[in-house]
Amino acid sequence: MAKTKSVEERLWGAAVLKMSFRLRGAEDSPAFRGVYPGVLRDLEVDDEAVEQFIGQHRERVERAARGTPG
């Protein structure tokens, strides 16, 4: 059985996904609009909480979205 993820882990996943699209200027793309709502639903988080998480952890989230270590 899979380990249940914490709220922070779920927000992290959604935030990195969103930031990866944001950094490419693709938040309005059909790909983002098609994937992101399902991710929010599956992770049981909302966009407002993801934005708040990004605001609190921007540097870490951006590094992860770019695929850079650290």
Side-chain angles (χ1 to χ4, degrees):
M1 181 176 263
K3 176 188 168 246
T4 303
K5 293 185 179 195
S6 69
V7 172
E8 184 169 349
E9 289 171 320
R10 291 180 283 149
L11 287 169
W12 170 258
V16 171
L17 173 69
K18 185 170 192 174
M19 185 59 71
S20 70
F21 279 90
R22 182 172 290 170
L23 291 171
R24 292 179 297 186
E27 282 184 87
D28 290 330
S29 71
F32 180 76
R33 290 193 320 256
V35 170
Y36 187 64
V39 169
L40 293 177
R41 182 194 64 235
D42 292 350
L43 295 178
E44 298 177 333
V45 297
D46 62 37
D47 187 59
E48 184 177 327
V50 173
E51 283 297 330
Q52 188 174 30
F53 187 88
I54 289 171
Q56 294 169 346
H57 306 280
R58 181 169 299 280
E59 189 175 319
R60 271 182 49 218
V61 171
E62 284 187 15
R63 276 196 314 262
R66 286 188 172 103
T68 55

